[in-house]
Amino acid sequence: MSRREELVAEVMELLNRYQDAIEVGTRDDIQALVHLPVAYITEDDVQMRERYPFDPAKLREATGFHHGDSDYNVVHVEETKAHVLVTATRRREDNSAIENVGAFYILQKREGQWKVAAFSGIRTPA
């Protein structure tokens, strides 16, 4: 296995835990997977947040979100930074689509741990 493949595997392990936290976890669970402050890029602003900006439990309650079909493409990776393109469809328990998500994540490895350092997403109805 090449060093790049090893790094991608490390990044994917974090992203799989992140996806699990969105699907079944709490804000505290997902917040443990980001570096704080985390940069959140909205449609018209760049914010440095001292806590993760979304509560996955509230998202599930408000939308009926149960699981997602997510594709993570690690576009660039080095020893301490990775750029990831995310394409996902959020789904209800019956597998019907709620919305599509396209996002860009920047991950950093600090003190031996990969975490999300910055992200921006675009959500569109399914």
Side-chain angles (χ1 to χ4, degrees), residues 60-113:
R60 293 189 301 269
E61 183 179 316
T63 65
F65 173 61
H66 180 265
H67 66 281
D69 297 327
S70 300
D71 180 45
Y72 298 103
N73 180 8
V74 180
V75 182
H76 304 108
V77 66
E78 61 179 23
E79 294 296 324
T80 59
K81 186 166 60 172
H83 295 166
V84 181
L85 290 176
V86 181
T87 306
T89 301
R90 290 185 176 152
R91 298 185 179 278
R92 296 175 187 87
E93 190 169 10
D94 68 3
N95 212 37
S96 61
I98 301 167
E99 65 185 355
N100 299 308
V101 178
F104 183 77
Y105 285 28
I106 297 173
L107 280 61
Q108 290 179 323
K109 188 176 190 180
R110 300 183 201 162
E111 299 175 5
Q113 292 188 337

Side-chain angles (χ1 to χ4, degrees), residues 49-69:
R49 295 287 193 97
E50 289 299 326
R51 81 180 206 178
Y52 189 78
F54 303 108
D55 182 332
K58 288 181 181 176
L59 171 74
R60 293 189 301 269
E61 183 179 316
T63 65
F65 173 61
H66 180 265
H67 66 281
D69 297 327

Side-chain angles (χ1 to χ4, degrees), residues 18 20-31 40 49 51-65 90 99 119 123:
Y18 185 90
D20 287 345
I22 291 172
E23 291 180 1
V24 298
T26 66
R27 178 179 262 166
D28 289 340
D29 294 330
I30 202 162
Q31 188 160 294
Y40 174 53
R49 295 287 193 97
R51 81 180 206 178
Y52 189 78
F54 303 108
D55 182 332
K58 288 181 181 176
L59 171 74
R60 293 189 301 269
E61 183 179 316
T63 65
F65 173 61
R90 290 185 176 152
E99 65 185 355
F119 66 102
R123 297 164 39 181

Side-chain angles (χ1 to χ4, degrees), residues 6-22 29-35 72 74 82 84 105-109 112-117:
E6 291 172 352
L7 291 168
V8 168
E10 290 176 12
V11 165
M12 289 303 300
E13 191 275 329
L14 176 272
L15 292 169
N16 289 329
R17 289 190 297 135
Y18 185 90
Q19 183 66 33
D20 287 345
I22 291 172
D29 294 330
I30 202 162
Q31 188 160 294
L33 305 175
V34 301
H35 288 299
Y72 298 103
V74 180
V84 181
Y105 285 28
I106 297 173
L107 280 61
Q108 290 179 323
K109 188 176 190 180
Q113 292 188 337
W114 285 103
K115 293 187 178 185
V116 176

